[in-house]
Amino acid sequence: MGTMYGYARVSTKEQREDRQLRAFSGMKLQQENIYVDKQSGKDFERPMYKRMVRKMKDDDLLYIKSIDRLGRNYGEILEQWRYLTKDKKVDIVVLDMPLLDTRRGKDLMGTFLSDVVLQVLSFVAENERKNIRERQKEGIEAAKLRGVQFGRPKSPLPENFEQLSSRWLSGEISGKRAAELCGMPLTTFRRRSISLGQGDEEEFGAM
């Protein structure tokens, strides 16, 4: 057997990979051969994963906790699996699914069963990613209906803003001078004036 590797992935920097690392504890992996990415599983453009694959060679062994830790894109999971097992000639063990252990069942029936299980689990992983995205979208829409504001809050307007905005719109003062008196960048002054309904796009262009 070659070198043994472990790969763990969580979707964000705030999430912890402890559960996956505990699953590797009985595998006698060297610490330097355990790679962790804190990044979405939508594709395989992940720095630690790519570094690990570059090091792999014939007869190495890769442990992952579950198929969705490898990725969440159905087509890319299958493509990457075949690349590792066929091109790199690496064995893969999915700890949560004993049937996905390429060291076993290398005969026709074993390969067939592994392929079926892999395709089903890959589909489930991608479907869950889509469901998560949809739930996030629904949550954001519901929050907006409740009046929740997203993004950075707007800074409060200076007390003289409305007066200077009116003077700018009437042509009494230039936009640059009005912005200076407000202590605001010119583009911000103009945008906030428009957003308050004190002018329209045509007036904005004319000034």
Side-chain angles (χ1 to χ4, degrees):
M1 186 190 298
T3 305
M4 294 188 298
Y5 293 89
Y7 178 72
R9 182 189 65 80
V10 290
S11 298
T12 67
K13 292 181 179 179
E14 291 73 28
Q15 293 178 325
R16 299 182 63 85
E17 66 277 7
D18 298 6
R19 186 173 63 89
Q20 296 173 67
L21 298 183
R22 282 197 299 271
F24 299 151
S25 61
M27 306 304 160
K28 299 180 180 178
L29 299 177
Q30 298 294 320
Q31 188 63 37
E32 63 268 22
N33 291 330
I34 296 177
Y35 291 79
V36 179
D37 276 311
K38 296 196 172 191
Q39 194 169 329
S40 167
K42 65 181 181 179
D43 57 41
F44 284 87
E45 293 301 314
R46 305 175 220 140
M48 299 307 291
Y49 178 81
K50 292 169 76 172
R51 184 182 301 179
M52 177 187 70
V53 172
R54 283 196 298 267
K55 290 183 64 177
M56 286 179 161
K57 55 187 183 300
D58 290 9
D59 298 324
D60 284 348
L61 176 61
L62 172 62
Y63 287 101
I64 55 175
K65 178 74 167 63
S66 57
I67 197 67
D68 63 341
R69 298 305 87 198
L70 183 63
R72 285 188 178 274
N73 181 297
Y74 175 76
E76 291 197 15
I77 293 173
L78 299 180
E79 180 182 338
Q80 199 66 203
W81 185 279
R82 293 187 178 112
Y83 170 69
L84 292 174
T85 57
K86 306 300 183 186
D87 296 348
K88 300 287 288 188
K89 295 182 171 58
V90 170
D91 276 313
I92 306 175
V93 175
V94 179
L95 296 172
D96 281 358
M97 181 55 62
L99 280 174
L100 288 180
D101 181 344
T102 61
R103 299 171 301 177
R104 304 174 183 173
K106 291 184 181 287
D107 59 4
L108 183 60
M109 181 57 71
T111 301
F112 171 74
L113 288 174
S114 292
D115 282 351
V116 170
V117 173
L118 173 62
Q119 292 195 42
V120 170
L121 292 180
S122 300
F123 172 79
V124 170
E126 177 168 359
N127 195 55
E128 178 60 16
R129 181 173 72 91
K130 290 178 179 178
N131 287 339
I132 289 171
R133 252 199 339 258
E134 188 61 31
R135 288 195 295 269
Q136 288 173 335
K137 180 181 176 182
E138 291 172 355
I140 290 171
E141 289 175 352
K144 286 180 177 178
L145 289 174
R146 296 196 305 270
V148 176
Q149 297 292 322
F150 292 89
R152 292 189 304 174
K154 290 183 178 180
S155 56
L157 294 171
E159 292 183 0
N160 59 349
F161 176 80
E162 290 191 16
Q163 178 188 8
L164 289 166
S165 179
S166 296
R167 292 177 64 189
W168 167 60
L169 291 167
S170 66
E172 182 182 340
I173 189 173
S174 71
K176 182 178 179 181
R177 181 57 180 160
E180 287 175 353
L181 292 172
C182 285
M184 301 169 69
L186 177 58
T187 54
T188 303
F189 173 80
R190 287 174 168 171
R191 186 178 67 251
R192 297 294 293 272
S193 292
I194 299 300
S195 69
L196 285 177
Q198 294 176 310
D200 56 32
E201 293 291 340
E202 186 176 342
E203 289 175 323
F204 171 65
M207 298 295 178

